[in-house]
């Protein structure tokens, strides 16, 4: 039985504002130079893109085949995998002693082009399962619905933040760190309040959602680390690729779920719990990996 969540129009408006503030904060630290500074390290960039847009979705498909979750849970997994990297990834990369320049660059690319890549990735990977395609059609949405909505909630705040940083650079230096911390706190608080207000639905489905998200997130972190290691990147790059792949912008997923998927309970629980869990796993992974590499790079 599909869990029913209580989520008012005012809550959706607040979540949209929260996401816009998060993306504005991300953009404050994006500079044009970030799109060129690693042009001499194309291998690391390509590894990051392949891990984010191919490895994680493929791993998601494998998990769906193996565990055959309900359609709502499966769609939630695919949507989270299609979202850009989360803004906490830069912090975790710093904590893990990874390649911060690579982390910021990958976050910049994935965030700036998410308005086209997220709907494209979601519909492409969901189409592999006929039953999921039918489920999507029941919501009467299509690629262009998501595309146009994401321009407003994602691209425009990013461009506004980049313009703010360019023309008000001194102010940006003073507020960037505070905005980043506040945006993370706001999203965590919003998700926790939403889970509290829907604690019955969450409690009834926690065992299923918990393990799906834990496995999904672990696959992102560890699979990406191994993938980068096998491609013979250096250790700092391996750590960064893992974090950029395992830390996803689940807040965007929640906005899309409540805007286009009628607040589908299963999808929302996956995105909400991912938003909490990836911060826990991000801290644990970063703390452990900085102490000792999983593999010794060659």
């Amino acid at each position: 039985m599909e869990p029913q969540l209580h989520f008012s129009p005012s809550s959706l408006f607040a979540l949209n504002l929260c996401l816009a503030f998060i993306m504005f904060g991300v953009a404050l630290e994006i500079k044009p130079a970030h799109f060129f500074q690693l042009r001499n390290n194309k291998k690391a960039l390509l590894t990051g893109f392949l891990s984010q847009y191919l490895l994680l979705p493929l791993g998601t498909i494998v998990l769906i085949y193996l565990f055959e979750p309900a359609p709502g849970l499966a769609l939630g997994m695919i949507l989270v995998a299609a979202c850009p990297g989360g803004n906490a990834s830069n912090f975790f990369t710093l904590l893990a002693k990874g390649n911060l320049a690579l982390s910021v660059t990958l976050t910049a690319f994935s965030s700036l082009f998410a308005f086209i890549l997220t709907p494209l990735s979601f519909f492409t990977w969901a189409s592999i399962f006929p039953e999921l395609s039918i489920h999507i059609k029941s919501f009467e949405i299509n690629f262009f619905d998501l595309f146009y909505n994401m321009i407003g909630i994602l691209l425009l705040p990013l461009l506004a933040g980049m313009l703010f940083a360019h023309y008000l650079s001194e102010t940006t230096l003073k507020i960037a760190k505070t905005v980043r911390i506040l945006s993370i706190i706001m999203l965590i608080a919003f998700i926790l309040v939403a889970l509290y207000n829907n604690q019955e639905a969450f409690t009834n489905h926690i065992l299923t959602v918990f393990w799906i998200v834990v496995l999904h997130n672990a696959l992102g972190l560890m699979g990406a680390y191994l993938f980068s290691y096998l491609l013979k990147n250096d250790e700092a790059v391996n750590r960064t690729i893992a974090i950029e792949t395992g830390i996803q912008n689940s807040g965007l997923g929640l906005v899309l779920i409540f805007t286009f998927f009628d607040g589908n309970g299963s999808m929302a629980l996956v995105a909400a719990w991912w938003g909490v869990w990836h911060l826990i796993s991000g801290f644990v992974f970063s703390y452990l990996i900085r102490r000792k590499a999983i593999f010794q790079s060659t």
Side-chain angles (χ1 to χ4, degrees):
M1 182 178 176
E2 192 76 56
Q4 298 297 314
L5 301 188
H6 304 289
F7 204 82
S8 65
S10 60
S11 296
L12 178 59
F13 178 72
L15 182 56
N16 274 274
L17 288 180
C18 180
L19 180 64
F21 183 74
I22 289 171
M23 300 320 298
F24 179 84
V26 169
L28 291 179
E29 300 186 52
I30 297 177
K31 299 177 175 60
H34 289 142
F35 297 97
F36 305 102
Q37 65 183 353
L38 292 172
R39 56 184 175 274
N40 296 323
N41 195 359
K42 296 182 178 65
K43 181 181 176 182
L45 284 174
L46 182 60
T47 303
F49 294 143
L50 288 176
S51 182
Q52 177 81 27
Y53 295 109
L54 184 60
L55 182 69
L56 181 59
L58 278 175
T60 304
I61 298 304
V62 170
L63 287 179
I64 292 173
Y65 268 118
L66 289 176
F67 295 99
E68 298 182 344
L73 294 176
L75 286 175
M77 294 169 66
I78 293 173
L79 183 60
V80 167
C83 287
N87 64 322
S89 63
N90 304 148
F91 168 75
F92 288 131
T93 296
L94 188 63
L95 182 64
K97 295 183 178 179
N99 187 322
L100 187 58
L102 175 62
S103 177
V104 173
T105 301
L106 289 173
T107 300
F109 270 101
S110 66
S111 298
L112 191 59
F113 295 103
F115 74 99
I116 180 70
L117 292 176
T118 293
L120 181 62
S121 180
F122 174 74
F123 281 102
T124 297
W125 295 106
S127 67
I128 293 176
F129 302 93
E131 64 273 24
L132 295 187
S133 296
I134 294 172
H135 208 64
I136 290 173
K137 289 179 181 178
S138 69
F139 295 108
E140 298 182 349
I141 63 169
N142 56 48
F143 170 86
F144 291 103
D145 290 330
L146 286 178
F147 173 75
Y148 292 129
N149 182 268
M150 289 189 65
I151 289 178
I153 65 174
L154 201 66
L155 183 61
L156 293 183
L158 276 168
L159 294 178
M162 292 177 70
L163 288 172
F164 185 96
H166 178 74
Y167 289 106
L168 298 170
S169 56
E170 292 186 4
T171 303
T172 300
L173 289 174
K174 296 177 182 178
I175 69 170
K177 183 178 180 179
T178 302
V179 169
R180 182 173 67 249
I181 294 173
L182 279 176
S183 66
I184 294 174
I185 292 173
M186 284 172 59
L187 183 59
I188 294 173
F190 189 93
I191 290 174
L192 290 177
V193 170
L195 290 175
Y196 177 80
N197 290 337
N198 294 278
Q199 55 185 300
E200 182 178 352
F202 183 66
T203 301
N204 292 338
H205 295 83
I206 179 59
L207 290 180
T208 302
V209 174
F210 178 87
W211 288 112
I212 282 179
V213 169
V214 168
L215 288 172
H216 195 193
N217 180 249
L219 181 66
L221 285 168
M222 301 308 299
Y225 183 96
L226 178 60
F227 177 66
S228 180
Y229 169 81
L230 292 175
L231 291 179
K232 300 186 183 301
N233 287 298
D234 65 46
E235 177 61 22
V237 170
N238 297 342
R239 299 176 184 191
T240 303
I241 298 299
I243 291 168
E244 285 295 321
T245 306
I247 305 300
Q248 294 291 92
N249 190 343
S250 54
L252 171 62
L254 280 174
V255 168
L256 297 179
I257 290 164
F258 285 105
T259 302
F260 293 103
F261 295 92
D262 300 329
N264 182 274
S266 294
M267 293 181 71
L269 287 176
V270 170
W273 182 238
W274 182 289
V276 175
W277 178 255
H278 77 168
L279 296 177
I280 298 172
S281 66
F283 269 113
V284 172
F285 178 85
S286 300
Y287 174 77
L288 294 177
I289 201 71
R290 71 179 290 165
R291 297 171 66 88
K292 187 176 181 180
I294 299 175
F295 302 103
Q296 293 300 319
S297 299
T298 56

